[in-house]
Amino acid sequence: MTLTVQAPLAGTVIALEQVPDPVFAGRFVGTGAAIDPDRDKGEVTAVAPVSGTVAKVHPHAFVIASEDGRGVLVHLGLDTVGLKGQGFTVHVADGDEVSAGDAIVTWNPSDVADRGLSPVVPVITLEAAEEDVALAAKGSVAAGDGLLTWA
């Protein structure tokens, strides 16, 4: 069954190899895509890219396990773990059941950029074979638009 991974927030789709971080660009975490978020909207809420269970949530990142067990990682900005949660509001807890589009974390990409960090958001299909994941969007996306398909 093909899983559609939705965009967790609005912005411009960029190829994973263009992410300014060697771990994500080198696909060491997994395959997927990234979104350069709109910086002129103020606070934005990242939403669940798939329906399932919150496997892990941190202020700067979260993993949703789909109903069939496939994990999707959303990392809000690069090197944002160093912010220790400052500027992030988490709306869910580990183990919560969510539907695609449910609010997960609210943050402000322009605040992250103002701190000298990249607000680019990698969306990673964990443990997926490269050939099983395809980009479903190019250019601008809104939260909830199809971003990736995972066979």
Side-chain angles (χ1 to χ4, degrees):
M1 179 173 103
T2 298
L3 178 67
T4 297
V5 178
Q6 298 177 2
L9 71 168
T12 303
V13 177
I14 60 173
L16 208 52
E17 56 269 9
Q18 294 177 322
V19 171
D21 178 282
V23 174
F24 287 112
R27 301 180 192 275
F28 294 110
V29 179
T31 192
I35 298 173
D36 191 0
D38 297 332
R39 292 185 179 93
D40 58 353
K41 307 280 190 218
E43 279 194 338
V44 297
T45 298
V47 300
V50 295
S51 296
T53 304
V54 178
K56 195 67 177 165
V57 63
H58 297 284
H60 69 283
F62 57 91
V63 175
I64 308 294
S66 70
E67 293 159 348
D68 63 0
R70 294 185 269 186
V72 179
L73 166 69
V74 176
H75 202 285
L76 303 172
L78 304 176
D79 298 321
T80 48
V81 67
L83 298 176
K84 298 183 170 80
Q86 185 177 358
F88 297 86
T89 302
V90 177
H91 304 289
V92 296
D94 291 356
D96 285 356
E97 295 295 320
V98 295
S99 295
D102 284 355
I104 307 294
V105 178
T106 300
W107 67 306
N108 190 324
S110 62
D111 286 352
V112 168
D114 289 348
R115 292 173 181 262
L117 301 173
S118 173
V120 167
V121 176
V123 180
I124 306 297
T125 54
L126 299 173
E127 299 180 15
E130 185 88 27
E131 62 273 10
D132 290 342
V133 179
L135 196 58
K138 291 182 180 179
S140 294
V141 291
D145 287 352
L147 177 66
L148 302 165
T149 57
W150 186 353

